[in-house]
Coordinates of all heavy atoms in Angstrom, one line a residue:
G601 N 55.7 163.2 -122.2 CA 56.5 162.1 -121.7 C 57.1 161.2 -122.8 O 57.6 160.1 -122.5
G602 N 57.0 161.7 -124.0 CA 57.4 160.8 -125.2 C 58.8 160.6 -125.4 O 59.2 159.8 -126.3
S603 N 59.7 161.2 -124.6 CA 61.1 160.9 -124.8 C 61.5 159.5 -124.5 O 62.4 158.9 -125.2 CB 62.0 161.8 -123.9 OG 61.9 163.1 -124.2
D604 N 60.8 158.8 -123.6 CA 61.1 157.4 -123.4 C 60.8 156.6 -124.7 O 61.5 155.7 -125.0 CB 60.1 156.8 -122.3 CG 60.2 157.5 -121.0 OD1 61.3 158.1 -120.7 OD2 59.3 157.5 -120.2
Y605 N 59.7 157.0 -125.3 CA 59.3 156.3 -126.5 C 60.3 156.5 -127.6 O 60.7 155.6 -128.3 CB 57.9 156.8 -126.9 CG 57.2 156.0 -127.9 CD1 57.4 154.7 -128.2 CD2 56.1 156.6 -128.7 CE1 56.7 153.9 -129.1 CE2 55.4 155.8 -129.6 CZ 55.7 154.5 -129.8 OH 55.0 153.8 -130.7
S606 N 60.8 157.8 -127.7 CA 61.9 158.1 -128.7 C 63.0 157.1 -128.5 O 63.6 156.6 -129.4 CB 62.4 159.5 -128.5 OG 61.4 160.5 -128.6
A607 N 63.4 157.0 -127.2 CA 64.6 156.2 -126.9 C 64.4 154.7 -127.3 O 65.3 154.1 -127.9 CB 64.9 156.2 -125.4
S608 N 63.2 154.2 -127.1 CA 63.0 152.8 -127.4 C 62.9 152.6 -128.9 O 63.3 151.6 -129.5 CB 61.9 152.1 -126.6 OG 60.7 152.6 -127.1
L609 N 62.3 153.6 -129.6 CA 62.2 153.5 -131.1 C 63.6 153.6 -131.7 O 64.0 152.9 -132.6 CB 61.4 154.7 -131.6 CG 59.9 154.6 -131.4 CD1 59.2 156.0 -131.7 CD2 59.3 153.5 -132.2
I610 N 64.5 154.4 -131.1 CA 65.9 154.5 -131.5 C 66.6 153.2 -131.3 O 67.3 152.7 -132.1 CB 66.5 155.7 -130.9 CG1 66.0 157.0 -131.4 CG2 68.1 155.7 -131.1 CD1 66.4 158.3 -130.7
G611 N 66.5 152.7 -130.0 CA 67.1 151.5 -129.6 C 66.7 150.3 -130.6 O 67.6 149.6 -131.0
A612 N 65.5 150.3 -130.9 CA 65.0 149.2 -131.8 C 65.5 149.4 -133.2 O 65.9 148.5 -133.9 CB 63.5 149.2 -131.8
A613 N 65.5 150.7 -133.7 CA 66.0 151.0 -135.0 C 67.4 150.6 -135.3 O 67.8 150.3 -136.4 CB 65.8 152.5 -135.3
I614 N 68.3 150.7 -134.2 CA 69.7 150.3 -134.4 C 70.0 149.0 -133.8 O 71.1 148.6 -133.8 CB 70.6 151.4 -133.8 CG1 70.3 151.6 -132.3 CG2 70.4 152.8 -134.5 CD1 71.4 152.3 -131.6
N615 N 69.0 148.3 -133.3 CA 69.2 147.0 -132.7 C 70.2 147.1 -131.6 O 71.2 146.3 -131.5 CB 69.6 146.0 -133.7 CG 68.8 144.7 -133.5 OD1 68.3 144.4 -132.4 ND2 68.6 144.0 -134.6
S616 N 70.0 148.0 -130.7 CA 71.0 148.3 -129.6 C 71.0 147.1 -128.7 O 70.1 146.3 -128.6 CB 70.7 149.5 -128.9 OG 69.5 149.4 -128.2
S617 N 72.1 147.0 -127.9 CA 72.2 145.9 -126.9 C 71.3 146.1 -125.8 O 70.9 145.2 -125.1 CB 73.7 145.7 -126.5 OG 74.2 146.9 -126.0
E618 N 71.0 147.4 -125.5 CA 70.2 147.7 -124.3 C 69.6 149.1 -124.5 O 70.2 149.9 -125.2 CB 71.0 147.6 -123.0 CG 70.3 147.7 -121.8 CD 71.1 147.3 -120.5 OE1 71.5 146.2 -120.4 OE2 71.4 148.2 -119.8
I619 N 68.4 149.3 -123.9 CA 67.8 150.6 -123.9 C 67.8 151.0 -122.5 O 67.2 150.4 -121.6 CB 66.4 150.6 -124.5 CG1 66.4 150.2 -126.0 CG2 65.7 151.9 -124.3 CD1 65.1 149.7 -126.6
Q620 N 68.4 152.1 -122.1 CA 68.4 152.6 -120.7 C 67.6 153.9 -120.6 O 67.8 154.8 -121.3 CB 69.9 152.9 -120.3 CG 70.7 151.6 -120.3 CD 72.1 151.9 -119.8 OE1 72.5 153.0 -119.5 NE2 72.9 150.8 -119.5
I621 N 66.7 153.8 -119.6 CA 65.9 155.0 -119.3 C 66.3 155.5 -117.9 O 66.1 154.8 -116.9 CB 64.4 154.6 -119.3 CG1 63.9 153.9 -120.6 CG2 63.5 155.9 -119.1 CD1 63.9 154.7 -121.8
W622 N 67.0 156.7 -117.9 CA 67.5 157.2 -116.7 C 66.5 158.2 -116.1 O 66.2 159.2 -116.8 CB 68.9 157.9 -116.9 CG 70.0 156.8 -117.2 CD1 70.2 156.2 -118.4 CD2 71.0 156.4 -116.3 NE1 71.2 155.3 -118.2 CE2 71.8 155.4 -117.0 CE3 71.3 156.7 -114.9 CZ2 72.8 154.8 -116.4 CZ3 72.4 156.0 -114.4 CH2 73.1 155.1 -115.1
T623 N 66.1 158.0 -114.9 CA 65.1 159.0 -114.3 C 65.6 159.4 -112.9 O 66.8 159.4 -112.7 CB 63.7 158.3 -114.1 OG1 63.9 157.2 -113.2 CG2 63.2 157.8 -115.4
D624 N 64.7 159.7 -112.0 CA 65.1 160.1 -110.7 C 64.6 159.2 -109.6 O 64.4 159.6 -108.5 CB 64.7 161.6 -110.4 CG 63.2 161.8 -110.7 OD1 62.5 160.8 -111.0 OD2 62.7 162.9 -110.5
I625 N 64.3 158.0 -110.0 CA 63.8 157.0 -109.0 C 64.5 155.6 -109.4 O 64.8 155.4 -110.6 CB 62.3 156.9 -109.1 CG1 61.7 155.9 -108.1 CG2 61.7 156.7 -110.4 CD1 60.2 156.1 -107.9
N626 N 64.6 154.7 -108.4 CA 65.4 153.5 -108.6 C 64.5 152.4 -109.3 O 64.4 151.3 -108.9 CB 65.9 152.9 -107.3 CG 67.0 153.8 -106.7 OD1 67.6 154.6 -107.4 ND2 67.2 153.6 -105.4
G627 N 63.9 152.8 -110.4 CA 63.2 151.8 -111.2 C 61.7 151.8 -110.9 O 61.2 152.6 -110.1

Side-chain angles (χ1 to χ4, degrees):
S603 294
D604 299 337
Y605 195 22
S606 302
S608 72
L609 288 167
I610 290 170
I614 59 166
N615 228 332
S616 64
S617 52
E618 190 166 290
I619 296 163
Q620 298 185 349
I621 308 287
W622 290 77
T623 64
D624 52 2
I625 181 168
N626 293 341

